[in-house]
Amino acid sequence: MAGKRLDKVNELMKREISAYIQKAYDWNGTIVSVLDVEITEDLKEGRVWVGVVGRMAPAQVIEKLSKNRGDIQRAVSKRVILRNTPKLTFKHDDSARRGVALVNLLDDIEQNLPKAPRLPEGESDPEI
């Protein structure tokens, strides 16, 4: 049962942190998105995984979020009432960038592979 509750807390924290950092900070042409939140079972600590696309370097975004951690925690604690307010740690998640690179690689492979000859209609591959 604790797993389902923790999943709900993680999702609620993700939504509230994301909404707050979008409203409270100017990201100078950079898209900053909260991709995941992992709160410990005792609700004392939480890792916030952040995706960054745009002008600012991921390290700059993480530094800004970490510097303003107290403000973010206070704002979120007013909207999400928990026994403890988790101490947040911000981490960069580059899975979106890796995903785009993987799709591009697969497209490149598909375009450069020799095409198998087509069998006349009605014939089947003898190796199958």
Side-chain angles (χ1 to χ4, degrees):
M1 191 65 166
K4 284 186 179 182
R5 180 175 186 272
L6 196 54
D7 289 345
K8 288 180 181 179
V9 169
N10 286 335
E11 190 58 37
L12 184 57
M13 291 290 288
K14 175 182 165 184
R15 192 170 50 228
E16 293 300 326
I17 293 167
S18 182
Y20 180 77
I21 67 173
Q22 293 308 315
K23 284 189 284 187
Y25 302 103
D26 179 21
W27 296 109
N28 300 323
T30 302
I31 298 171
V32 177
S33 54
V34 176
L35 301 175
D36 197 16
V37 174
E38 298 170 352
I39 304 296
T40 58
E41 286 191 36
D42 62 3
L43 305 176
K44 291 186 178 183
E45 296 180 24
R47 282 190 301 268
V48 181
W49 296 96
V50 179
V52 179
V53 177
R55 293 182 186 164
M56 291 178 72
Q60 290 176 299
V61 172
I62 297 302
E63 182 181 336
K64 186 174 185 174
L65 291 171
S66 296
K67 184 177 141 191
N68 293 292
R69 178 180 54 84
D71 293 337
I72 297 168
Q73 285 175 196
R74 262 188 302 286
V76 171
S77 71
K78 291 177 184 175
R79 307 233 347 138
V80 180
I81 308 301
L82 296 172
R83 179 176 63 233
N84 297 311
T85 299
K87 179 181 177 186
L88 302 176
T89 304
F90 296 92
K91 305 279 185 180
H92 177 242
D93 181 341
D94 69 345
S95 60
R97 184 184 57 76
R98 288 192 322 263
V100 168
L102 182 60
V103 168
N104 289 340
L105 180 63
L106 291 172
D107 285 346
D108 189 45
I109 290 170
E110 183 179 346
Q111 289 175 0
N112 292 314
L113 279 179
K115 303 290 184 225
R118 297 189 81 134
L119 293 174
E121 202 165 314
E123 285 188 35
S124 63
D125 190 344
E127 294 181 21
I128 297 180

